[in-house]
Amino acid sequence: MDNDKGPFYYSNHHELNQSSFPFFMDNHHSTLENFQGFFDPSLHGNSMDCNTLSRPFDLSCNSTSEVIDENYKKHISAGDLTMISENHSILNSSLSSSSNEADQVVTEEDSAKSKKDKQPKECEEDGDHEKSKKENKTKKKEKKAREARFAFLTKSEVDHLEDGYRWRKYGQKAVKNSPYPRSYYRCTTQKCNVKKRVERSFEDPSTVITTYEGQHNHHCPTTLRGNAITMFSSPSLFGSTSIGPSFPQDFLAQLLPSYNNQYFRNHHEQNQNTMLFHNQNQQLQFPRDNGLLQDLLPSFQGRQKP
DNA sequence: CGAGTTTGACCTGCGC
DNA sequence: GCGCAGGTCAAACTCG
């Protein structure tokens, strides 16, 4: 994988298992397996800013939501897991089923293999399908920046997890080397081009891999924000001194209603006592720090690419 | 009847 | 150039 622009290159031979995956959700046991591990500065020797990961998520659900930063719309290759770092870098690891989830690359890059990003709709609305095809061909050289993607694993028996948004399935494909198909969804809201892919891990069939692409430009239809914010900001939940002043509540508040509210819906009651951040006495601080890439995924051995 | 799903065909990029 | 795999389209279908 080309990585000329990225300051960091991570070998794909280092293990990235579920415990090092940024958001490993376990709906059955009412835990977010890796939130604590992911944010825990004692594990990573450093910490991260709330904005680091909130960017690729739906900001429009937040009352303080703002214009999408074009700098985050970097190309990434198909089938990649992406996280956006504070300094606009992208952590990028392959999730394609043809590759192993434990055999991943983390890199900042503008992907050279940005696949087609079709824009035929405008053309087809005039009913001239052939014309649109031709125009499409002429446009293919104008590689449009692929939307940022963000993927996470969820332990669930349900493939398509409720996340508060309405999705229309527009495709399903068999995935190579996997008995489980990959489903393609598009946000049903007009002019919202957010997509997501859902597939089940063939290595761990209890795990669903959900990949979001793009950012919603509308409010979450069925937000559970209130619950999420209450829970995450509750001193009784985390302990009044356990959360540092820069605890990414905004990030979590943005994240959870959109991406995990089934979790809350189903387990809200028990979650009040059992959920999230196993070690609640941990000091959690997230100073703004650009040197975060090496710290995010400690199982990787990052190195400067020559 | 509208919204969502299914599914085969098609398009595109990439590796050989 | 060819084949493969990922991604998308769109007609047919299902469902409420």
Side-chain angles (χ1 to χ4, degrees):
Chain A
M1 188 180 289
D2 264 356
N3 191 30
D4 294 336
K5 298 179 182 177
F8 297 99
Y9 178 78
Y10 289 84
S11 165
N12 62 350
H13 297 301
H14 299 288
E15 193 174 326
L16 176 62
N17 52 30
Q18 289 175 342
S19 65
S20 59
F21 209 82
F23 304 106
F24 186 74
M25 304 176 188
D26 185 335
N27 283 342
H28 299 146
H29 301 97
S30 299
T31 60
L32 269 178
E33 294 276 352
N34 207 44
F35 258 81
Q36 184 264 335
F38 190 56
F39 288 126
D40 184 352
S42 70
L43 296 177
H44 302 157
N46 212 318
S47 51
M48 63 190 297
D49 180 78
C50 59
N51 293 323
T52 299
L53 291 177
S54 64
R55 295 282 184 174
F57 289 90
D58 166 40
L59 298 178
S60 64
C61 274
N62 191 337
S63 58
T64 62
S65 63
E66 64 276 351
V67 178
I68 295 168
D69 185 344
E70 291 296 324
N71 289 319
Y72 289 94
K73 294 183 176 179
K74 295 205 172 187
H75 305 197
I76 65 169
S77 58
D80 284 346
L81 158 70
T82 301
M83 296 180 296
I84 312 295
S85 75
E86 182 177 23
N87 53 356
H88 297 191
S89 59
I90 293 180
L91 301 179
N92 185 3
S93 65
S94 175
L95 272 180
S96 69
S97 296
S98 56
S99 64
N100 192 329
E101 290 155 23
D103 185 13
Q104 307 190 22
V105 177
V106 176
T107 178
E108 170 188 358
E109 69 171 343
D110 281 352
S111 171
K113 61 171 185 174
S114 170
K115 294 199 171 181
K116 77 168 182 181
D117 213 312
K118 293 187 178 178
Q119 296 182 318
K121 288 298 181 183
E122 309 94 358
C123 308
E124 291 173 1
E125 283 176 359
D126 59 13
D128 194 344
H129 191 68
E130 290 303 315
K131 182 181 176 182
S132 72
K133 282 185 177 179
K134 291 177 182 176
E135 288 182 356
N136 206 24
K137 286 186 177 179
T138 65
K139 284 182 180 178
K140 70 181 179 182
K141 289 182 180 177
E142 306 169 13
K143 292 186 177 180
K144 180 187 174 185
R146 182 179 282 278
E147 295 279 355
R149 286 184 177 174
F150 197 93
F152 57 84
L153 305 182
T154 307
K155 280 252 183 189
S156 174
E157 296 173 358
V158 181
D159 284 347
H160 190 193
L161 298 168
E162 187 63 46
D163 61 7
Y165 290 92
R166 298 183 66 195
W167 302 92
R168 163 173 288 200
K169 189 176 185 178
Y170 66 90
Q172 177 171 308
K173 286 284 290 186
V175 178
K176 187 187 174 187
N177 295 331
S178 174
Y180 307 103
R182 173 182 299 153
S183 297
Y184 299 88
Y185 297 89
R186 185 176 288 142
C187 182
T188 61
T189 302
Q190 284 188 343
K191 296 182 180 179
C192 179
N193 60 351
V194 177
K195 299 170 189 173
K196 75 173 178 179
R197 300 190 313 222
V198 177
E199 62 186 285
R200 191 165 287 279
S201 168
F202 75 99
E203 286 200 325
D204 181 6
S206 66
T207 298
V208 175
I209 303 168
T210 305
T211 306
Y212 290 88
E213 179 178 330
Q215 293 182 310
H216 295 281
N217 58 9
H218 55 94
H219 291 285
C220 179
T222 58
T223 179
L224 289 180
R225 164 174 301 279
N227 284 350
I229 288 179
T230 299
M231 294 165 74
F232 276 100
S233 60
S234 167
S236 63
L237 181 62
F238 296 107
S240 56
T241 60
S242 64
I243 308 299
S246 50
F247 180 74
Q249 289 181 7
D250 286 346
F251 162 65
L252 293 170
Q254 287 158 13
L255 164 66
L256 289 163
S258 299
Y259 295 91
N260 203 26
N261 64 9
Q262 182 184 41
Y263 176 89
F264 287 101
R265 188 174 299 145
N266 294 341
H267 303 283
H268 182 231
E269 293 303 320
Q270 52 267 51
N271 286 347
Q272 296 280 4
N273 297 319
T274 62
M275 65 170 291
L276 302 182
F277 300 100
H278 299 168
N279 184 355
Q280 296 183 5
N281 294 323
Q282 201 79 48
Q283 284 288 334
L284 299 175
Q285 295 182 339
F286 305 93
R288 298 180 181 277
D289 185 340
N290 287 333
L292 59 85
L293 283 178
Q294 295 138 317
D295 306 317
L296 289 179
L297 301 172
S299 59
F300 286 97
Q301 291 180 355
R303 60 179 170 85
Q304 298 283 342
K305 187 178 182 181

